[in-house]
Amino acid sequence: MKLILAPMATLTHQALRKTVANFGGVDEYYTEMINASSLLHGGQFEKYYILNDVEPEKTVWQLTGDEAKPLSEAAAVVKGCGGIGIDINMGCAAPAIYKYGAGISWMLKPISETSNMLKSVKNAIGEKRLSVKIRLGDEDFTMEKLFAFADMLVGEGVSQIVLHPRTKKEKYTRPPKYNLLNEFCQYVKENHAGVSVIGNGGVRDVASYNKLLSVAPTLDGIMIGRAAVEKPWIFAELKKSGKSFEGTGEELETEIDLYQVAEGFLEDLCQFQPKEFYPTRAKRFFEYFIDNFFFGHSLKAKIQNTDEKSEQLQLLKEYLERNPQERYKKVRL
């Protein structure tokens, strides 16, 4: 069972990958979306998207774009940066992405257009693995359409499919449809030997991990996104909890210093990202990380109102001085 860090815009850059690696790492690190056209045009910030110093052999480069030519040309560039392979984002449902013709738009375009795009990308990367991240589709999706789409993906050389079992319009407040994920996984297993299916969505802890696997037990892996920002140690916790994900009762509790985790992340953020990126990426991190704290709502609001690292850390320090019992989190690792 593979454990995979999900691709998240402004989050799964090298600083977060290093934070996760500090707790034992994962089997695969998906990068944040890399805009194919921007990469090819050589903008001043594009070099930061292809940093690869944290367990480089486990990196999966996720590309986004609205046309086949820049996607295939960008794939040829990033394949030279090492890693496992290239992933094409076909699941992002943010309006700014799909209205541009990228993300989930590739599931909604004429299937021949999407097929030709994948063919060109696969030709560009050769033996490197080609994967895709998808959703169920639009609101009028059917499982028959999804199965046919999977047949096309595999026919064009895709060997790993990550399915987020929500439709284009369904938000994270709606529970993912694990029963449909299981149905999809069973179809792929029965018809396409050797193709991996990864489940994504709703896993926040050992209990929810166990729940997903009870519904879809034949998955090849689980991808975790937002919960990995809140709890970068979640993968280590899951690894130690045993194959049944119920735990053996023999694990020792480890105390994690939450202030130290935040401080280390911000230091790495300053090292591995341009200063222009700091405000957005720091605030995105704290948007989830602060959920570790019982009274974190007001703290989160204060941190979102400052762009300065020193002020953010001071706010966190003051909160923990008022609530010292929250600084250390006990986790079975």
Side-chain angles (χ1 to χ4, degrees):
M1 177 65 62
K2 290 193 287 190
L3 297 176
I4 301 173
L5 179 64
M8 294 176 286
T10 73
L11 281 171
T12 46
H13 43 70
Q14 183 152 297
L16 183 67
R17 297 199 296 272
K18 184 178 178 184
T19 302
V20 171
N22 288 340
F23 289 102
V26 292
D27 296 299
E28 297 182 11
Y29 299 87
Y30 277 53
T31 67
E32 62 180 314
M33 291 187 297
I34 302 170
N35 185 286
S37 295
S38 297
L39 179 68
L40 295 171
H41 290 153
Q44 61 173 321
F45 299 126
E46 299 313 308
K47 63 183 180 181
Y48 295 99
Y49 287 92
I50 55 176
L51 292 176
N52 193 23
D53 296 331
V54 179
E55 299 194 272
E57 72 282 0
K58 297 181 179 180
T59 303
V60 179
W61 306 100
Q62 190 184 73
L63 297 177
T64 185
D66 64 329
E67 295 181 343
K69 189 172 185 290
L71 280 169
S72 61
E73 291 178 353
V77 171
V78 297
K79 83 167 186 177
C81 298
I84 296 170
I86 311 300
D87 184 83
I88 301 299
N89 185 308
M90 296 187 180
C92 184
I97 300 296
Y98 77 76
K99 288 181 179 179
Y100 161 66
I104 199 171
S105 292
W106 286 107
M107 296 189 72
L108 310 178
K109 295 178 182 184
I111 198 165
S112 59
E113 183 177 351
T114 304
S115 174
N116 288 334
M117 179 274 291
L118 290 170
K119 189 189 304 292
S120 67
V121 172
K122 183 59 179 172
N123 287 339
I125 65 175
E127 296 302 313
K128 287 283 188 180
R129 190 185 75 190
L130 176 60
S131 63
V132 298
K133 188 172 186 290
I134 64 174
R135 286 190 175 226
L136 295 172
D138 214 335
E139 306 314 295
D140 63 348
F141 88 96
T142 65
M143 291 307 291
E144 289 71 24
K145 289 181 182 178
L146 191 60
F147 295 159
F149 194 76
D151 293 339
M152 180 276 294
L153 294 175
V154 177
E156 296 301 345
V158 171
S159 58
Q160 179 159 293
I161 304 171
V162 179
L163 176 60
H164 183 102
R166 291 185 174 99
T167 63
K168 185 181 81 170
K169 291 184 179 180
E170 286 180 318
K171 305 300 182 185
Y172 290 111
T173 53
R174 299 284 298 276
K177 296 179 173 68
Y178 290 156
N179 60 319
L180 299 185
L181 172 61
N182 180 56
E183 192 175 340
F184 178 80
C185 185
Q186 289 182 330
Y187 176 83
V188 173
K189 297 293 183 184
E190 291 170 2
N191 293 276
H192 302 292
V195 175
S196 298
V197 178
I198 310 298
N200 173 225
V203 174
R204 297 187 55 80
D205 49 29
V206 172
S208 54
Y209 199 169
N210 192 45
K211 178 181 178 180
L212 170 53
L213 291 180
S214 70
V215 178
T218 60
L219 288 170
D220 297 290
I222 305 293
M223 176 178 278
I224 301 175
R226 292 174 297 161
V229 187
E230 177 188 345
K231 300 175 284 190
W233 55 86
I234 187 172
F235 300 104
E237 194 175 12
L238 294 174
K239 287 177 183 178
K240 293 292 185 181
S241 63
K243 292 184 179 180
S244 68
F245 302 102
E246 296 174 353
T248 64
E250 298 177 356
E251 300 91 341
L252 296 176
E253 283 191 336
T254 298
E255 277 196 338
I256 295 173
D257 184 338
L258 297 180
Y259 181 85
Q260 190 177 72
V261 173
E263 182 181 42
F265 170 81
L266 295 183
E267 289 176 357
D268 290 335
L269 187 60
C270 292
Q271 179 179 353
F272 298 123
Q273 296 282 275
K275 62 181 181 180
E276 292 87 347
F277 283 11
Y278 180 87
T280 55
R281 281 139 176 79
K283 290 176 183 180
R284 279 278 281 164
F285 169 77
F286 280 118
E287 180 181 345
Y288 301 108
F289 188 74
I290 294 301
D291 288 343
N292 283 294
F293 305 116
F294 189 76
F295 301 105
H297 181 75
S298 60
L299 172 62
K300 185 183 297 188
K302 291 176 182 177
I303 286 180
Q304 294 298 324
N305 285 325
T306 177
D307 293 342
E308 299 298 324
K309 172 187 168 186
S310 59
E311 292 179 12
Q312 291 166 341
L313 287 174
Q314 183 62 30
L315 287 166
L316 179 57
K317 183 179 180 181
E318 290 172 356
Y319 173 89
L320 293 173
E321 287 174 347
R322 294 192 302 271
N323 303 279
Q325 74 281 3
E326 293 195 58
R327 176 164 180 164
Y328 297 94
K329 194 175 187 75
K330 291 184 177 181
V331 181
R332 289 189 180 277
L333 298 180

